[in-house]
Amino acid sequence: MPPTYDLLVIGDANPDVILGPLDGPLAFGQHEQLVGAGSLTLGGSAAIMACGAARLGLKVAFAGRVGDDDAGRYMRDTLTERGVDTRALRLDPDRPTPLTVVLTRDDDRAILTSPGTLTAVSGADVPEELLADTRHVHAASYFLQPRLAADLPRLLRTARDHGARTSLDTQDDPSGRWDPAALGAVLAHTDVLLPNAQEALHLAGLPSGSPGQAAELLAARVPLAVVKNGAAGALCHDGRTLHTAPGLPLTPMDTVGAGDSFDAGFVAALLDGQDPQQALRFAVACGSLSTRAHGGTPAQPTRDEALAHTTPSGAHAS
């Protein structure tokens, strides 16, 4: 029998409070600053990616942990409304749901997160039957979930043993350590690595350099290294060839979650049988179009919308 799910997403889920844009530095001293917009929306890189994939028509399941509180029920209900199966999203009675405040300014943002259940989620929250019943497993926010990070090599190996492809988006490491030894154990079972340009340099151990250089080094450790490069688009390296795709000529309203929507598009394209270059172009469209509204999920595109904005890209032998 074919797998029930196209995609299992493992990782973080929390409400995002998005405020901005700031027109100057954040002021303390009980000084109130007014901004142009504010929203409460579904957040967490894994949750945003899951919603983007469901919006593209994939059958998606989510595994993780939130608090048994109003914020946790909001996350569960919102994921469900967006077409994500949340039966493996555990409500923790002892810890609160993580909360994130995102402050935007120009094309940058500051992110403040209260971890809550992030420190408790682990491999025990991921049912093995889901790992055996999906075509692809994606993990996100590696550095924010230490117990899950320690269990990821086993989880991804199990998924691969059952025939699934795997992917990882580490996101930033707040500690600044980037723990190469622990990461090596995870990357050994990762098919697709999906950092942004700054993260790629850290993961590749480069104090400076280009996204292409980082992608080439990372492609020696995983079958496919994909690097998101903001308005410049994205690139990927498969160990032989560097593929590139330009960004779309859009003026973003909010870039929160754009990388997660990119991840959803890339995985969806691979599951459709597209080659890395085609997948890159489709993913750039998904990430770019998601910036048309505030928050990570309201403007995520449908498959037809993304295909209509898919642009040509180039490939270069390395």
Side-chain angles (χ1 to χ4, degrees):
M1 291 179 60
T4 301
Y5 299 98
D6 297 309
L7 173 65
L8 168 63
V9 182
I10 305 170
D12 54 332
N14 58 264
D16 277 351
V17 178
I18 302 171
L19 300 170
L22 291 172
D23 57 8
L26 183 63
F28 285 86
Q30 302 184 53
H31 177 65
E32 186 161 355
Q33 293 172 270
L34 300 180
V35 296
S39 62
L40 170 66
T41 185
L42 179 142
S45 292
I48 293 172
M49 191 275 190
C51 289
R55 178 74 169 157
L56 293 170
L58 300 188
K59 178 71 171 176
V60 182
F62 189 93
R65 188 188 298 214
V66 292
D68 188 6
D69 50 27
D70 288 344
R73 287 183 285 275
Y74 165 79
M75 290 304 301
R76 180 194 59 194
D77 294 347
T78 304
L79 281 164
T80 300
E81 289 168 3
R82 294 183 180 276
V84 178
D85 187 322
T86 60
R87 282 176 286 183
L89 178 61
R90 176 180 173 186
L91 297 182
D92 189 322
D94 300 318
R95 297 173 180 83
T97 299
L99 295 172
T100 293
V101 176
V102 180
L103 305 174
T104 67
R105 184 173 65 188
D106 299 324
D107 61 351
D108 199 3
R109 59 185 183 265
I111 304 170
L112 307 175
T113 294
S114 172
T117 55
L118 290 178
T119 58
V121 64
S122 73
D125 295 312
V126 185
E128 184 162 348
E129 57 266 29
L130 279 181
L131 295 171
D133 199 21
T134 188
R135 300 167 61 202
H136 190 109
V137 174
H138 176 80
S141 295
Y142 172 86
F143 294 106
L144 297 182
Q145 302 164 105
R147 292 182 63 189
L148 179 62
D151 290 337
L152 268 183
R154 173 180 60 82
L155 296 175
L156 298 185
R157 181 178 66 248
T158 299
R160 276 178 150 188
D161 288 345
H162 287 289
R165 181 187 275 130
T166 62
S167 58
L168 173 67
D169 190 343
T170 65
Q171 278 84 37
D172 187 42
D173 180 3
S175 75
R177 292 191 297 268
W178 297 90
D179 200 352
L183 270 169
V186 179
L187 295 183
H189 304 287
T190 299
D191 293 306
V192 185
L193 182 63
L194 292 152
N196 67 25
Q198 278 299 115
E199 294 158 359
L201 290 174
H202 287 294
L203 293 169
L206 292 176
S208 62
S210 71
Q213 290 173 313
E216 184 173 2
L217 287 173
L218 292 171
R221 306 177 68 187
V222 295
L224 193 58
V226 184
V227 180
K228 296 163 281 194
N229 199 22
L235 52 93
C236 66
H237 206 294
D238 60 8
R240 299 175 303 278
T241 304
L242 177 68
H243 304 278
T244 64
L248 297 188
L250 295 175
T251 300
M253 183 176 292
D254 181 356
T255 61
V256 171
D260 308 311
S261 294
F262 174 102
D263 293 351
F266 198 88
V267 169
L270 291 182
L271 288 171
D272 278 350
Q274 296 185 30
D275 63 35
Q277 184 170 325
Q278 294 169 321
L280 195 68
R281 288 157 35 200
F282 183 76
V284 165
C286 290
S288 299
L289 292 171
S290 76
T291 69
R292 296 172 295 175
H294 291 289
T297 59
Q300 287 178 318
T302 64
R303 185 180 296 270
D304 287 344
E305 286 178 308
L307 286 172
H309 288 82
T310 298
T311 58
S313 66
H316 311 281
S318 61

